[in-house]
Every structure is written in structure tokens, then in C-alpha cells.
Amino acid sequence: MKNNKSSKVWKGWRVISFVLLALLLVSEGLLFFQVWKLKMLPMKFFIPILVVVLLIDIPVIVAMFPRTGKWQKRTGHGKKITAYVLSVVIAAGCLFGWKAVSKVNQTVDVITKVPTVAAQVGVYVMATDKAEKIEDAKDYTFAITELRDKENTAAAIAEIEKLVGGKIKVERYNSLDELAGALYSGKAQAMILNVAYAGLFTEFDSYKDFATATKIIYKYNVEKLVEQTKPADDKTQANKPAEPTKSVEETPFIMYLSGSDTRSDTLTDSVSRSDVNILAVVHPATKQILLVNTPRDYYIQNPAYGVMDKLTHCGLDGMENSMEALSNLYGYPIKYNAQINFTGFETLIDAIGGIEIYSENGDGVHLDSGTNYMDGEEALRFARDRYSYADGDNARGRHQMQVITAVVNKLASGSIITNYSDILDSLQGMFSTSMPSDIFSKLINMQVSDMATWNVQSYAVTGYGGMDSTIAGVASVMYPNDSTVAKASDLIGKVLDGKTLTEADVAPIE
């Protein structure tokens, strides 16, 4: 009877042991599969961690399944209970780790997702107009221009005609100036235009009040996948390096950072004027990053129209158009692009515990002499301010590169692991890139493996102001200082060739 009772008790323990063993193995399997799938943890770390976990598992499993009844009697239930507690703790840790790594995977998927270009075509009427919806304007005359965004405008007209149940009256104009003039004068009661182009009216003295003088009664949304970036044309890229045959970790590349410094909560993939135009020239093998800032008003060729234009206007025809314009300017192909949201930087900087920016003498506005600590709000204010400085956009470009440099240094330091969740959340709203996820993961793997400090240098091209013709009409522009452009091109070439830059190399031209 006693043996039968002991046997029944042991069977109860065995059930518990099998359940906990299954939990342990499943949780460990989930964690290690997710880590392997992410491909960010170097094998020199992955294998030892796997071995250590297995070595811990062996005594735990042995204690959970004693081999003989005599051994069980001698040890009692103490070791089994201890093994149970350890198995639950290990399983809980693995599940937590699995959740954490899954979040990293999710973030990589989001920021390296093949983007869509989102365009909105709006129907504008004067703010005092009684029309509140598109059906109210079915008998209006609609002003359009086919010189800009012709395909989307035609699609919007077709959709409008479906909604109002018939043809609409359309008048065509040859320029944005004439287009707005028709609306303001009453020659047309409505205007159809890509919303991204509406910002150009602020460059006309007659229509600076466009945002408040008009209203939108209908928006037509257009979305399409962004095509893979094509290699730059050999004819326009005299300095194009040979195609690399090295590994990802050894191959240099140029990434175009584009974005707006306007305050917004989310990052959107849309065609718009770009207020941030920074080239990040990266050489993973030498741990060298060069940030080259080009002012938004730089007067260069707009590839989409083959005319001279402001750099910021190039973004109205897509990020690839801006990339081509900058490739032509500096003579090197740009491999990847990224959208950067400086408002998102505020959250990221707070998540990493703030940043430090060093200034030799201070600037009398945001920086004191020495090391300046900034939280997210202070850093964003510093990165967006251009009106407090005599050189305006040039100063803003320098500040944005200083903020990016400080963030890179903080992230590379490895001191931010404890707050990874907030950091990942901020990245999803602050940054997206055309770089494939496998390349992105390999670069992270490399950084985790060596935890190297990167040498980040920055350089800004300069110019002088004037007035000239643009796609928006005659507007203020910045004519390039050719010597600074030539120096920027030389610095880019040095980084791609594996040379390490010093502060003297990036010193401004006197």
C-alpha cells in the first residue's frame, strides 16, 4: 500500500516536471530562434550563451527527474522544488528576452520596410467660400496646371467627376503664380493641386497668406511603392567608385538623410520639400562617418525638369530626385536614403538620457563654452533654430549634424541597453530607411561585436544669397560656393577610400 501511494505521489511530481520541462524548452527555443532570426547577435556571443543555458538546464532537468526511488527518498522534495523554481525563473527570463528581441525585429521591419510615396491632391477654395465639400463645388470652374504632377491631377479629376456625377469645368494655367492668381481673383472658384506644392506659395509675396486665405474641401490620396534606387548614371558620376566586392561590414556607402524640421508626431513617406539635406558617408571598416550638409535653398539643377532650382524643391518629385541632384552636385552615387523626423529625435534623446555637445567658445544662444548637456526638448530647439543666427540655414544645418553626431556617439557607447524599449519606440516614429533589413542587421551585428567608437566628422557647404528663377517662380536662392562643394566632394572620396578624417580636414575654408 505504501509503495502504491508513493508511486501515485511520484506520478504527480512527474506530471509537474514534464509541464515545467516543456515550458522551459519552448521558452528557450522561442528566444534563441528569434535571436538567430534577427542576425544582430554575433556568433561569438550567441554560441557561448547557448552553451551556458544548456549547462544550466542539465542539473535542473536531472533534479526534476530523479533516476531511482532510493535517490528520491534521500534527497526529498527539496531539490525538485528548487529545480522547479529555477525552471520557472529561466523560462520567465527567456520569455522576457523573446519579447524584447521580437520588438527589435519589429522595429527593424518597420524602419526598413519598402516605403510608399503618399501624395495628396487637394481641392482648394477661398476661405470665405460657402462650399464645404466637393459636391458643393460641382458647378465651379477648377484651375489646374499640367506642368506639375500631371498624372495625379488627372486621377484626382476623374475621382471628383465620379463623386459629383458628371464632368467638371477645368481651366489650365502655365504656372503656379497664374494658378493662384486665378483662384484669388475669382476667375476660378476652385483649384486642384498636389498639397505638397501648396507650400511653394509662401515664396510669392502676393500669396504668403495662402494657408489662411484658402481652405481644402476635398483630398484625393495616392499611394505607390517606391522603386528600388537605381545606380547613378556613369556619365554624370565621374568619381563613381568601382562596385565593391567586399562584405557588408567592409563596404562604404552614402545615405541621403531627408526630412522636415517642422513639428509633427509621426514620420510619413511623402513627397514634400526637404528642409534637411544631409549626406551620411559611412565606412564600416574604418568606423568613419562624414556628415555633409547642403542648405535647402542651394541653387542646383533639378533633374526632374532639367532646370536650375532650389534643392528643397527637388523633393517635390520624390526623394530619388533629390538623391540624383546631390549625386550630380558632388559626383558620387548615393546608395540608400532615409527619412528623419527631428521631432522624433526629441523622444529618442530623452530615451537615451540626453546628449552632450561640445563648444569651444559657445554661441551666445544655445551653447555655452565647454560641454553642453541637452534633453530632447533643448536639442530639438537647437536643431530647428535658424533665426537667431546670422547665417540662418547654414547654422541650422550645422546644428542638425551636431545633434546627429551626439546621438550616434551615445548609441554606440552601449550605455543605453537598459532603456531599449523606449529607444525602439522612438526609432519607429523618427527614422525609416531604404537600406535592406539584412544589411541593416549585419551592421548592427558588427557594432555589437566590437562596440567600436566611431569617428564622426561633419562639413557644411556654403554659398551666398540672391534671387533667381525656380519652378515656383523668382525666389530667394543660395548660389553655391564652388570651393566648398569641391572640398566636400574631396572629403567624400577620402572616406570612401578608407581614410580617417580629422577636425583639421573638415575645417571651414577661410
Side-chain angles (χ1 to χ4, degrees), residues 6-175:
S6 298
S7 178
K8 290 179 181 179
V9 171
W10 168 230
K11 287 180 179 179
W13 284 108
R14 288 190 68 182
V15 171
I16 296 174
S17 296
F18 276 116
V19 170
L20 292 179
L21 175 62
L23 176 63
L24 180 65
L25 296 179
V26 169
S27 61
E28 290 177 350
L30 286 172
L31 173 61
F32 283 105
F33 174 75
Q34 195 66 253
V35 171
W36 173 82
K37 178 182 175 184
L38 186 60
K39 294 182 174 59
M40 285 187 182
L41 186 66
M43 293 303 292
K44 70 177 185 179
F45 295 144
F46 182 83
I47 294 177
I49 292 174
L50 180 61
V51 171
V52 169
V53 170
L54 291 177
L55 290 176
I56 294 174
D57 283 349
I58 292 172
V60 170
I61 295 172
V62 169
M64 289 167 64
F65 294 94
R67 292 175 294 175
T68 65
K70 291 180 179 180
W71 185 90
Q72 182 182 358
K73 288 179 182 179
R74 286 197 303 269
T75 60
H77 300 310
K79 287 190 175 182
K80 285 197 295 292
I81 293 175
T82 300
Y84 291 164
V85 171
L86 285 174
S87 66
V88 171
V89 170
I90 294 171
C94 288
L95 289 174
F96 176 81
W98 168 72
K99 183 178 179 182
V101 177
S102 296
K103 187 164 189 175
V104 175
N105 247 326
Q106 178 190 20
T107 300
V108 173
D109 288 342
V110 169
I111 66 179
T112 61
K113 177 183 177 182
V114 177
T116 58
V117 172
Q120 281 189 331
V121 180
V123 175
Y124 294 84
V125 298
M126 298 303 294
T128 55
D129 197 290
K130 294 181 180 179
E132 295 296 335
K133 57 185 186 296
I134 191 62
E135 288 80 4
D136 298 334
K138 65 180 181 178
D139 296 323
Y140 284 10
T141 297
F142 292 79
I144 69 168
T145 177
E146 294 182 335
L147 298 179
R148 304 282 179 266
D149 204 37
K150 180 178 179 180
E151 182 180 339
N152 288 333
T153 299
I157 290 174
E159 187 63 25
I160 291 169
E161 290 179 339
K162 287 181 184 178
L163 293 174
V164 301
K167 290 285 185 180
I168 59 173
K169 184 179 179 181
V170 173
E171 291 288 344
R172 292 167 173 79
Y173 294 88
N174 294 324
S175 69

Side-chain angles (χ1 to χ4, degrees), residues 301-364:
Q301 188 179 66
N302 186 330
Y305 301 102
V307 299
M308 298 299 289
D309 198 5
K310 288 185 179 185
L311 171 59
T312 187
H313 292 170
C314 294
L316 293 170
D317 287 276
M319 204 179 306
E320 291 76 13
N321 193 48
S322 297
M323 291 168 66
E324 185 176 350
L326 290 169
S327 290
N328 292 337
L329 178 65
Y330 295 114
Y332 288 96
I334 301 170
K335 192 165 188 178
Y336 307 115
N337 62 59
Q339 282 190 311
I340 189 169
N341 178 358
F342 273 89
T343 302
F345 256 60
E346 182 174 350
T347 305
L348 173 64
I349 289 169
D350 285 336
I352 63 178
I355 58 174
E356 293 180 348
I357 294 177
Y358 180 80
S359 176
E360 188 72 33
N361 300 310
D363 63 9

